[in-house]
Amino acid sequence: MRHFTTAAAIVCVCSAMLVAQSGPNDARAREIFKELIEINTTDTPNGNVTKAADAVAARLKAAGFPAADMQVLGPDPRKGNLVARLRGTGAKRPVLLLAHLDVVEAKREDWSMDPFAFVEKDGFFYGRGTSDDKSMASQFVANVLRLKEEGWKGERDLILALTADEEGGTFNGVDWLVKNHRQLIDAEFAINEGGGGSMRNGKYLTNEIQASEKVFQDFHLEVTNSGGHSSLPVKDNAIYHLSEGLARLAKFDFPVELNEVTRGYFQRSADVQSDPKVAADMRAVARPSPDLAAAARLSASLPYYNAQMRTTCVATRLAGGHAQNALPQMASANVNCRILPGVSPASVKDKLVEVLADPKIKVTFVGEATPSKPSPLRPDVMGAVESLTKQMFPGVIVVPVMSTGATDGLYLRNGEIPTYGVDGTFGDVEDVRAHGRDERIGVKQFYEGLEFQYRLIKELAK
Ligand SMILES: [Zn+2]
């Protein structure tokens, strides 16, 4: 009740039950959340995903999940994935609930608190993974336990998969499960991270369904040089070549290019803009031939808008030289690109070479990009999200989105399991701390997301 005053007034006769349940489920979700945050699951010698998977398995076991319906498995002892099944009648194919357990490294000295201690302060939960992605993982676990407790039986099984190495590392859990244990996770569609509610200054604006993702591709830039003594400098200097090329890249923008999902995003977002100029710009870029001046203004106003409209490439690492008193024999950089779906990585490489405009800068692929195909906007998923959003967050508009970052959704999508990033947990568009310092999530928003997800799962698997 405390979290859903408005929603409780709107929902049907079942609201009494939902409200009565929300207290205990909140407490359970918080406890699971705390436990997961305090297990270090980074891809470092201190991290261990299996511990987190085992902790969840222990809870499922205690709740009466049969051993045959849950397991922790993986290609590496520290990278275990939990897969569990809450059985429905089996009349329809399962729904897969996916969240990753691993987190990005967080150093104590970079944070104002211990990143692996769960802290509730000023209306937020703090800790590495609070927004990415242990909130969703704990919500799934709490809701599956709640459904089990309630004796729920829908037509679809619910498969819970909590996995390793989404953030990096060599043992990606979803990839491994798709390739080696497809039958365990086979589903008609999946719910994953990547969507969620966006708000600004406390005002809830949109609830996003992520149905598409940009493609991640790193490029290695390198300049080599014969070097020499730094007391006898020459103009041909590896560091200068590289840095001048990077300066040209800094000024370059890939062309504006919208697709069905991003056009829908700007069209629908325009309706919730408080600034009429921004709304007009959003409508102008959503036109069949986008208004480039409007695109430029939007790009300048928010990096997210910029990233929705074009492929981006940015320098993220730099190295060079080997001694204080020697001319550099080598200078190198990493350029990280987020490529629009449908644009070939090879064409991006050609563009980089053209923009760097210096044959001395050698550009090579780092790894191979995994293409990611957009998922069709299924009416059952869209409809459920629309109606629950209306119930719980009146005035909030549901928008389809393309993620600027990559998630494990791509392995599922490429494995023919359509995947939707959706949750009812709202975060401030100007307070994105995932992967950064003092990562946090609103307490109220966490519990709202918990309840939203509960209702969504029930609706989708009914
Ligand atoms: Zn994530």
Side-chain angles (χ1 to χ4, degrees):
M1 183 88 186
R2 65 197 157 112
H3 306 296
F4 296 110
T5 328
T6 330
I10 293 165
V11 284
C12 60
V13 280
C14 51
S15 65
M17 183 201 76
L18 294 175
V19 170
Q21 271 290 335
S22 82
N25 205 41
D26 284 1
R28 168 164 48 204
R30 188 189 193 281
E31 198 184 300
I32 297 164
F33 199 15
K34 178 178 194 300
E35 182 175 35
L36 290 182
I37 293 294
E38 295 187 343
I39 298 171
N40 183 331
T41 52
T42 56
D43 183 31
T44 69
N46 296 328
N48 190 323
V49 174
T50 307
K51 266 191 201 167
D54 284 341
V56 172
R59 286 179 185 274
L60 298 180
K61 190 174 172 213
F65 272 73
D69 284 346
M70 53 180 243
Q71 48 191 309
V72 173
L73 68 174
D76 180 272
R78 291 189 313 118
K79 301 294 174 73
N81 307 286
L82 172 104
V83 181
R85 184 179 293 253
L86 181 62
R87 292 192 182 269
T89 65
K92 291 184 185 162
R93 292 178 65 211
V95 178
L96 174 62
L97 310 174
L98 174 69
H100 64 90
L101 288 172
D102 62 309
V103 293
V104 170
E105 168 67 320
K107 294 195 170 128
R108 175 65 188 90
E109 61 269 27
D110 296 337
W111 281 49
S112 57
M113 65 197 77
D114 179 355
F116 299 101
F118 183 77
V119 172
E120 180 174 348
K121 207 178 79 180
D122 307 328
F124 291 93
F125 293 127
Y126 286 86
R128 171 56 90 223
T130 45
S131 71
D132 182 15
D133 182 31
K134 286 177 170 173
S135 44
M136 192 166 203
S138 341
Q139 289 166 342
F140 278 144
V141 177
N143 283 331
V144 163
L145 289 172
R146 177 176 169 185
L147 289 166
K148 167 95 179 150
E149 209 169 80
E150 292 171 353
W152 168 89
K153 225 174 191 24
E155 293 196 326
R156 301 180 188 276
D157 290 359
L158 293 174
I159 302 172
L160 175 65
L162 304 180
T163 60
D165 280 7
E166 192 271 346
E167 302 287 7
T170 46
F171 301 101
N172 183 282
V174 180
D175 191 25
W176 185 81
L177 286 166
V178 168
K179 285 182 181 142
N180 299 284
H181 294 275
R182 170 71 192 227
Q183 80 292 348
L184 267 186
I185 56 154
D186 191 45
E188 186 158 323
F189 59 90
I191 299 299
N192 182 32
E193 64 175 343
S198 75
M199 59 193 226
R200 182 174 282 167
N201 302 322
K203 187 178 180 341
Y204 289 20
L205 302 171
T206 57
N207 196 9
E208 300 175 347
I209 301 190
Q210 189 250 45
S212 176
E213 292 182 355
K214 285 178 116 175
V215 175
F216 180 108
Q217 177 72 62
D218 277 327
F219 291 93
H220 180 73
L221 276 45
E222 191 171 301
V223 182
T224 51
N225 189 287
S226 54
H229 200 289
S230 63
S231 65
L232 299 169
V234 292
K235 293 295 179 196
D236 180 18
N237 178 301
I239 290 175
Y240 295 159
H241 276 286
L242 182 65
S243 54
E244 284 173 12
L246 289 174
R248 286 187 283 273
L249 177 62
K251 294 188 196 93
F252 171 75
D253 285 318
F254 281 83
V256 169
E257 208 175 316
L258 283 93
N259 54 42
E260 190 196 352
V261 171
T262 52
R263 204 168 281 126
Y265 167 79
F266 282 113
Q267 249 156 18
R268 288 186 162 210
S269 299
D271 297 340
V272 289
Q273 288 309 308
S274 50
D275 184 337
K277 282 188 195 149
V278 175
D281 282 348
M282 286 180 158
R283 291 193 180 97
V285 297
R287 282 185 212 133
S289 53
D291 178 329
L292 296 182
R297 283 190 294 273
L298 288 175
S299 287
S301 74
L302 202 61
Y304 182 78
Y305 296 155
N306 181 54
Q308 288 291 307
M309 292 188 282
R310 51 168 54 99
T311 292
T312 62
C313 288
V314 62
T316 53
R317 303 195 77 157
L318 197 56
H322 57 282
Q324 308 284 41
N325 55 0
L327 298 174
Q329 289 177 3
M330 196 271 284
S332 69
N334 186 75
V335 168
N336 180 248
C337 298
R338 304 302 173 113
I339 303 173
L340 290 173
V343 172
S344 87
S347 72
V348 173
K349 180 177 178 239
D350 291 347
K351 188 45 99 175
L352 283 178
V353 169
E354 183 193 319
V355 171
L356 293 165
D358 183 343
K360 293 237 155 144
I361 306 175
K362 246 182 71 196
V363 181
T364 50
F365 287 103
V366 180
E368 201 184 325
T370 312
S372 182
K373 69 177 208 178
S375 296
L377 299 177
R378 288 174 63 107
D380 54 350
V381 176
M382 295 301 288
V385 174
E386 296 252 17
S387 82
L388 281 176
T389 301
K390 215 175 270 175
Q391 269 177 34
M392 291 183 60
F393 312 110
V396 167
I397 288 178
V398 173
V399 288
V401 295
M402 172 189 70
S403 270
T404 55
T407 73
D408 278 341
L410 73 95
Y411 296 108
L412 296 178
R413 290 187 179 122
N414 290 337
E416 303 304 325
I417 301 176
T419 300
Y420 304 94
V422 58
D423 67 74
T425 305
F426 284 69
D428 196 298
V429 290
E430 282 166 41
D431 186 43
V432 179
R433 300 186 182 197
H435 299 197
R437 76 189 288 270
D438 296 352
E439 183 179 348
R440 67 185 188 178
I441 190 171
V443 172
K444 176 174 175 279
Q445 286 74 26
F446 174 77
Y447 293 129
E448 286 170 353
L450 176 70
E451 180 65 18
F452 179 91
Q453 187 195 70
Y454 168 80
R455 297 184 196 186
L456 179 66
I457 293 172
K458 254 180 115 166
E459 178 62 25
L460 293 177
K462 73 179 179 201

